[in-house]
Amino acid sequence: MSARILDGAAIAAEIQLEVRERTAKLVARGIVPNLTVLLVGEDPASQIYVRSKNRACHEAGMASATITLPADTPEAELLARIDRLNADASVHGILCQMPLPSHIDADKVLRRIDPAKDVDGFHPMNVGKLVLGDPTAFLPATPAGIQEILRRSDISTRGARAVVVGRSTIVGRPMANLLLQPGPGGDATVTVCHSRTRDLPAICREADLLVVAIGRAHFLGADAVQPGATVIDVGINRIADPTAKKGYRVVGDVDFDAVREIAGAITPVPGGVGRMTIAMVLQNTLLAAERQA
Ligand code: GUN
Protein backbone atom coordinates (compact mmCIF):
# COMPACT_ATOMS: atom_id res chain seq x y z
CA MET A 1 0.00 0.00 0.00
CA SER A 2 1.24 3.46 -0.82
CA ALA A 3 2.04 5.86 2.02
CA ARG A 4 -0.07 8.85 3.00
CA ILE A 5 1.63 11.97 1.62
CA LEU A 6 2.18 14.66 4.28
CA ASP A 7 1.52 17.89 2.41
CA GLY A 8 3.98 20.37 3.91
CA ALA A 9 3.03 23.01 1.38
CA ALA A 10 -0.64 22.95 2.47
CA ILE A 11 0.24 23.02 6.18
CA ALA A 12 2.70 25.88 5.57
CA ALA A 13 -0.02 27.83 3.74
CA GLU A 14 -2.35 27.28 6.72
CA ILE A 15 0.29 28.62 9.15
CA GLN A 16 1.08 31.59 6.90
CA LEU A 17 -2.62 32.47 6.91
CA GLU A 18 -2.71 32.33 10.72
CA VAL A 19 0.42 34.50 10.86
CA ARG A 20 -1.22 36.99 8.48
CA GLU A 21 -4.27 37.31 10.71
CA ARG A 22 -2.18 37.88 13.85
CA THR A 23 0.09 40.29 11.97
CA ALA A 24 -2.95 42.38 10.98
CA LYS A 25 -3.81 42.80 14.67
CA LEU A 26 -0.31 44.12 15.42
CA VAL A 27 -0.38 46.39 12.38
CA ALA A 28 -3.69 47.83 13.65
CA ARG A 29 -1.76 48.82 16.79
CA GLY A 30 0.87 50.56 14.64
CA ILE A 31 3.50 47.78 14.83
CA VAL A 32 4.68 46.25 11.56
CA PRO A 33 6.72 43.09 12.23
CA ASN A 34 10.06 43.44 10.45
CA LEU A 35 12.46 40.65 9.46
CA THR A 36 15.89 41.79 8.32
CA VAL A 37 18.11 39.26 6.57
CA LEU A 38 21.87 39.57 6.20
CA LEU A 39 23.22 37.88 3.09
CA VAL A 40 27.00 37.78 2.62
CA GLY A 41 28.31 36.69 -0.79
CA GLU A 42 26.51 35.27 -3.79
CA ASP A 43 25.65 31.67 -2.98
CA PRO A 44 22.80 30.93 -5.46
CA ALA A 45 20.87 28.64 -3.08
CA SER A 46 21.05 31.28 -0.32
CA GLN A 47 19.79 33.94 -2.73
CA ILE A 48 16.75 31.75 -3.51
CA TYR A 49 16.03 31.12 0.21
CA VAL A 50 16.30 34.82 1.02
CA ARG A 51 14.00 35.84 -1.83
CA SER A 52 11.42 33.27 -0.68
CA LYS A 53 11.57 34.58 2.90
CA ASN A 54 11.10 38.17 1.71
CA ARG A 55 8.17 37.23 -0.50
CA ALA A 56 6.49 35.28 2.33
CA CYS A 57 6.93 38.26 4.70
CA HIS A 58 5.21 40.60 2.30
CA GLU A 59 2.36 38.12 1.72
CA ALA A 60 1.87 37.98 5.50
CA GLY A 61 1.73 41.78 5.77
CA MET A 62 5.17 42.07 7.39
CA ALA A 63 8.06 44.29 6.43
CA SER A 64 11.30 42.65 5.35
CA ALA A 65 14.65 43.89 4.19
CA THR A 66 17.75 42.16 2.90
CA ILE A 67 21.18 43.62 3.51
CA THR A 68 23.40 42.16 0.81
CA LEU A 69 27.11 42.37 1.48
CA PRO A 70 30.02 41.34 -0.77
CA ALA A 71 31.76 38.01 -0.10
CA ASP A 72 34.93 39.80 1.09
CA THR A 73 33.11 41.81 3.79
CA PRO A 74 35.32 41.91 6.90
CA GLU A 75 33.91 40.07 9.92
CA ALA A 76 34.06 43.30 11.97
CA GLU A 77 31.78 45.04 9.50
CA LEU A 78 29.20 42.25 9.66
CA LEU A 79 29.30 42.38 13.48
CA ALA A 80 28.85 46.16 13.40
CA ARG A 81 25.83 45.74 11.11
CA ILE A 82 24.31 43.29 13.60
CA ASP A 83 24.93 45.74 16.47
CA ARG A 84 23.01 48.41 14.56
CA LEU A 85 20.09 46.04 13.86
CA ASN A 86 20.05 44.93 17.51
CA ALA A 87 19.69 48.58 18.54
CA ASP A 88 17.02 49.39 15.92
CA ALA A 89 13.58 49.13 17.56
CA SER A 90 11.83 48.89 14.17
CA VAL A 91 13.61 45.55 13.45
CA HIS A 92 12.05 42.60 15.31
CA GLY A 93 13.80 39.62 13.69
CA ILE A 94 17.38 39.27 12.43
CA LEU A 95 18.61 36.36 10.39
CA CYS A 96 22.09 35.87 8.97
CA GLN A 97 21.89 33.45 6.06
CA MET A 98 24.29 30.51 6.26
CA PRO A 99 26.78 29.48 4.98
CA LEU A 100 29.05 32.47 5.54
CA PRO A 101 32.36 32.96 3.67
CA SER A 102 35.17 30.99 5.35
CA HIS A 103 37.01 34.08 6.73
CA ILE A 104 34.00 34.86 8.94
CA ASP A 105 33.48 32.99 12.23
CA ALA A 106 29.82 31.92 12.01
CA ASP A 107 29.61 31.14 15.74
CA LYS A 108 30.75 34.64 16.60
CA VAL A 109 28.15 36.10 14.26
CA LEU A 110 25.30 33.98 15.66
CA ARG A 111 26.28 34.93 19.23
CA ARG A 112 26.18 38.63 18.33
CA ILE A 113 22.47 38.63 17.36
CA ASP A 114 20.23 39.75 20.24
CA PRO A 115 18.56 36.51 21.48
CA ALA A 116 15.21 38.39 21.54
CA LYS A 117 15.57 38.98 17.76
CA ASP A 118 17.13 35.59 16.93
CA VAL A 119 14.29 34.19 14.78
CA ASP A 120 16.57 31.37 13.56
CA GLY A 121 16.91 30.08 17.14
CA PHE A 122 20.66 29.59 16.65
CA HIS A 123 21.94 31.77 19.55
CA PRO A 124 23.26 29.66 22.47
CA MET A 125 20.65 31.31 24.73
CA ASN A 126 17.82 29.95 22.56
CA VAL A 127 19.56 26.60 22.07
CA GLY A 128 19.87 26.29 25.86
CA LYS A 129 16.23 27.23 26.38
CA LEU A 130 15.17 24.61 23.83
CA VAL A 131 17.15 21.90 25.62
CA LEU A 132 15.66 22.98 28.97
CA GLY A 133 12.12 23.04 27.54
CA ASP A 134 11.71 26.78 28.21
CA PRO A 135 8.65 27.90 26.18
CA THR A 136 10.18 31.34 25.50
CA ALA A 137 12.86 29.79 23.22
CA PHE A 138 12.82 30.69 19.55
CA LEU A 139 12.78 27.24 17.95
CA PRO A 140 14.88 26.60 14.83
CA ALA A 141 12.54 26.68 11.87
CA THR A 142 13.12 23.30 10.24
CA PRO A 143 12.70 21.02 13.28
CA ALA A 144 9.84 23.19 14.60
CA GLY A 145 8.19 22.87 11.18
CA ILE A 146 8.56 19.09 11.26
CA GLN A 147 6.94 18.94 14.70
CA GLU A 148 4.10 21.08 13.35
CA ILE A 149 3.59 18.72 10.37
CA LEU A 150 3.31 15.80 12.79
CA ARG A 151 0.90 17.61 15.13
CA ARG A 152 -1.36 18.90 12.36
CA SER A 153 -1.39 15.50 10.64
CA ASP A 154 -2.44 13.81 13.92
CA ILE A 155 0.65 11.62 13.99
CA SER A 156 1.32 10.85 17.63
CA THR A 157 4.93 10.71 18.77
CA ARG A 158 4.07 9.74 22.34
CA GLY A 159 6.05 6.66 23.31
CA ALA A 160 7.15 6.26 19.66
CA ARG A 161 10.62 5.18 18.67
CA ALA A 162 12.08 8.12 16.75
CA VAL A 163 15.32 7.89 14.81
CA VAL A 164 16.94 11.14 13.62
CA VAL A 165 19.56 10.65 10.92
CA GLY A 166 22.02 13.57 11.01
CA ARG A 167 23.47 15.51 13.96
CA SER A 168 23.65 19.05 12.53
CA THR A 169 23.06 21.96 14.88
CA ILE A 170 20.41 23.33 12.48
CA VAL A 171 18.27 20.18 12.20
CA GLY A 172 19.37 16.88 13.79
CA ARG A 173 20.25 17.97 17.32
CA PRO A 174 17.33 20.38 17.88
CA MET A 175 14.97 17.83 16.29
CA ALA A 176 16.07 15.17 18.76
CA ASN A 177 15.55 17.59 21.66
CA LEU A 178 12.07 18.60 20.50
CA LEU A 179 10.95 14.99 20.10
CA LEU A 180 12.20 14.32 23.61
CA GLN A 181 10.25 17.14 25.29
CA PRO A 182 7.10 16.20 27.20
CA GLY A 183 3.82 17.04 25.42
CA PRO A 184 2.24 16.92 21.96
CA GLY A 185 4.84 16.35 19.22
CA GLY A 186 7.24 15.04 21.88
CA ASP A 187 7.40 12.18 24.40
CA ALA A 188 9.32 10.03 21.90
CA THR A 189 12.21 7.67 22.60
CA VAL A 190 14.93 9.22 20.48
CA THR A 191 18.05 7.85 18.81
CA VAL A 192 20.38 10.11 16.80
CA CYS A 193 22.43 8.51 14.01
CA HIS A 194 25.31 10.10 12.08
CA SER A 195 28.16 9.36 9.70
CA ARG A 196 29.97 7.16 12.26
CA THR A 197 26.92 5.09 13.24
CA ARG A 198 27.37 1.34 12.83
CA ASP A 199 24.65 -0.58 10.95
CA LEU A 200 22.49 2.44 10.28
CA PRO A 201 19.75 0.56 8.33
CA ALA A 202 19.15 -1.81 11.29
CA ILE A 203 18.65 1.12 13.67
CA CYS A 204 16.41 2.95 11.19
CA ARG A 205 14.26 -0.17 10.78
CA GLU A 206 13.33 0.09 14.48
CA ALA A 207 11.85 3.55 13.96
CA ASP A 208 8.16 4.42 14.09
CA LEU A 209 9.28 7.92 13.08
CA LEU A 210 12.31 8.47 10.87
CA VAL A 211 13.66 12.00 10.30
CA VAL A 212 16.38 12.08 7.66
CA ALA A 213 18.63 15.15 7.46
CA ILE A 214 21.93 13.98 6.07
CA GLY A 215 22.20 16.07 2.87
CA ARG A 216 22.81 13.24 0.41
CA ALA A 217 20.48 12.46 -2.48
CA HIS A 218 18.51 9.22 -2.06
CA PHE A 219 20.72 8.21 0.89
CA LEU A 220 18.03 6.15 2.61
CA GLY A 221 16.29 3.27 0.84
CA ALA A 222 13.36 0.98 1.55
CA ASP A 223 15.64 -1.52 3.34
CA ALA A 224 15.97 1.00 6.21
CA VAL A 225 12.25 1.56 6.78
CA GLN A 226 9.84 -0.35 9.01
CA PRO A 227 6.48 -1.03 7.32
CA GLY A 228 4.01 1.67 8.37
CA ALA A 229 6.66 4.10 9.68
CA THR A 230 6.37 7.87 9.29
CA VAL A 231 9.25 9.20 7.18
CA ILE A 232 10.24 12.88 7.23
CA ASP A 233 12.69 13.84 4.49
CA VAL A 234 14.63 17.05 5.18
CA GLY A 235 16.99 16.77 2.19
CA ILE A 236 17.07 19.29 -0.64
CA ASN A 237 19.57 17.93 -3.18
CA ARG A 238 20.06 18.80 -6.82
CA ILE A 239 20.70 15.89 -9.16
CA ALA A 240 21.41 16.03 -12.89
CA ASP A 241 18.35 15.35 -15.04
CA PRO A 242 18.79 15.94 -18.78
CA THR A 243 14.99 15.66 -19.28
CA ALA A 244 14.36 18.64 -16.94
CA LYS A 245 14.27 22.17 -18.36
CA LYS A 246 17.00 23.38 -15.99
CA GLY A 247 19.08 20.21 -16.44
CA TYR A 248 18.57 19.15 -12.82
CA ARG A 249 15.83 18.28 -10.37
CA VAL A 250 15.54 18.50 -6.61
CA VAL A 251 15.31 15.27 -4.59
CA GLY A 252 15.39 14.42 -0.91
CA ASP A 253 17.65 12.24 1.24
CA VAL A 254 15.12 9.42 0.93
CA ASP A 255 14.47 7.26 -2.12
CA PHE A 256 10.87 8.45 -2.30
CA ASP A 257 9.51 6.04 -4.92
CA ALA A 258 10.80 2.97 -3.10
CA VAL A 259 10.06 4.14 0.46
CA ARG A 260 6.49 5.31 -0.21
CA GLU A 261 5.55 1.68 -0.92
CA ILE A 262 6.56 0.69 2.62
CA ALA A 263 6.07 3.76 4.84
CA GLY A 264 2.76 4.68 6.46
CA ALA A 265 3.28 8.39 5.81
CA ILE A 266 6.00 10.39 4.05
CA THR A 267 6.89 14.00 3.23
CA PRO A 268 7.64 14.65 -0.45
CA VAL A 269 10.54 16.73 -1.81
CA PRO A 270 9.77 19.36 -2.91
CA GLY A 271 6.51 20.27 -1.16
CA GLY A 272 7.29 18.82 2.26
CA VAL A 273 9.57 20.14 4.97
CA GLY A 274 11.15 22.95 2.90
CA ARG A 275 7.95 24.97 2.74
CA MET A 276 7.49 24.68 6.50
CA THR A 277 10.86 26.26 7.24
CA ILE A 278 9.77 29.60 5.78
CA ALA A 279 6.39 29.49 7.55
CA MET A 280 8.12 28.92 10.91
CA VAL A 281 10.57 31.81 10.36
CA LEU A 282 7.55 34.04 9.78
CA GLN A 283 5.90 32.70 12.91
CA ASN A 284 9.07 33.42 14.91
CA THR A 285 9.25 36.97 13.51
CA LEU A 286 5.64 37.57 14.54
CA LEU A 287 6.36 36.17 18.02
CA ALA A 288 9.42 38.42 18.32
CA ALA A 289 7.34 41.46 17.35
CA GLU A 290 4.55 40.52 19.77
CA ARG A 291 7.04 40.15 22.62
CA GLN A 292 8.85 43.39 21.83
CA ALA A 293 5.56 45.32 21.49
N1 GUN B 1 21.01 28.06 5.65
C1 GUN B 1 20.37 26.88 5.49
N2 GUN B 1 19.34 26.79 6.36
C2 GUN B 1 19.33 27.93 7.07
C3 GUN B 1 18.49 28.43 8.10
O1 GUN B 1 17.54 27.79 8.56
N3 GUN B 1 18.81 29.67 8.57
C4 GUN B 1 19.85 30.39 8.09
N4 GUN B 1 20.09 31.58 8.63
N5 GUN B 1 20.65 29.96 7.14
C5 GUN B 1 20.38 28.73 6.63
Side-chain angles (χ1 to χ4, degrees), residues 186-208:
D187 285 324
T189 302
V190 185
T191 302
V192 183
C193 298
H194 47 80
S195 56
R196 301 281 181 265
T197 296
R198 250 185 287 129
D199 204 0
L200 183 100
I203 297 172
C204 292
R205 274 197 301 273
E206 302 247 303
D208 305 309

Side-chain angles (χ1 to χ4, degrees), residues 37-40 43 45-47 49-50 53 95-101 120:
V37 178
L38 291 154
L39 176 61
V40 187
D43 179 60
S46 291
Q47 288 172 333
Y49 289 141
V50 169
K53 285 171 195 165
L95 190 153
C96 185
Q97 189 64 32
M98 300 289 146
L100 286 168
D120 254 334

Side-chain angles (χ1 to χ4, degrees), residues 8-284:
I11 297 171
E14 200 176 285
I15 292 171
Q16 281 172 236
L17 197 64
E18 291 163 15
V19 168
R20 199 167 120 177
E21 285 164 9
R22 270 167 62 196
T23 298
K25 287 187 188 143
L26 268 189
V27 172
R29 289 166 52 198
I31 301 154
V32 182
N34 175 312
L35 171 68
T36 298
V37 178
L38 291 154
L39 176 61
V40 187
E42 284 165 11
D43 179 60
S46 291
Q47 288 172 333
I48 294 171
Y49 289 141
V50 169
R51 270 202 299 273
S52 308
K53 285 171 195 165
N54 278 336
R55 196 181 323 120
C57 276
H58 292 132
E59 283 168 10
M62 295 182 181
S64 81
T66 302
I67 299 174
T68 308
L69 300 168
D72 61 357
T73 300
E75 184 183 271
E77 184 180 336
L78 179 58
L79 295 173
R81 292 268 186 174
I82 292 172
D83 290 342
R84 289 209 287 279
L85 295 173
N86 285 341
D88 183 343
S90 72
V91 173
H92 305 99
I94 305 169
L95 190 153
C96 185
Q97 189 64 32
M98 300 289 146
L100 286 168
S102 57
H103 68 279
I104 295 178
D105 180 346
D107 281 341
K108 207 161 156 184
V109 169
L110 296 177
R111 282 164 169 75
R112 193 71 159 239
I113 295 172
D114 180 346
K117 298 188 178 188
D118 169 37
V119 291
D120 254 334
F122 293 166
H123 189 286
M125 175 76 87
N126 283 311
V127 176
K129 284 182 170 182
L130 159 61
V131 174
L132 293 170
D134 181 331
T136 67
F138 283 112
L139 302 180
T142 301
I146 292 169
Q147 203 176 35
E148 209 52 47
I149 291 179
L150 295 170
R151 281 201 204 112
R152 292 182 189 233
S153 307
D154 290 319
I155 294 174
S156 173
T157 49
R158 191 173 177 191
R161 280 190 167 230
V163 173
V164 178
V165 184
R167 57 178 160 182
S168 73
T169 52
I170 294 181
V171 185
R173 292 185 216 195
M175 185 78 258
N177 268 294
L178 285 177
L179 290 168
L180 205 53
Q181 304 291 344
D187 285 324
T189 302
V190 185
T191 302
V192 183
C193 298
H194 47 80
S195 56
R196 301 281 181 265
T197 296
R198 250 185 287 129
D199 204 0
L200 183 100
I203 297 172
C204 292
R205 274 197 301 273
E206 302 247 303
D208 305 309
L209 169 65
L210 197 50
V211 180
V212 191
I214 201 95
R216 281 207 256 156
H218 291 164
F219 173 79
L220 206 97
D223 64 319
V225 178
Q226 173 182 200
T230 297
V231 179
I232 305 289
D233 188 350
V234 185
I236 299 178
N237 310 291
R238 280 185 186 185
I239 59 167
D241 180 355
T243 68
K245 207 161 68 184
K246 292 179 181 162
Y248 68 85
R249 68 194 163 97
V250 173
V251 300
D253 292 352
V254 173
D255 183 350
F256 182 81
D257 290 335
V259 170
R260 74 179 301 186
E261 296 305 324
I262 290 189
I266 187 167
T267 57
V269 176
V273 173
R275 294 289 294 273
M276 290 298 290
T277 301
I278 289 172
M280 299 315 281
V281 168
L282 289 194
Q283 197 176 65
N284 277 348

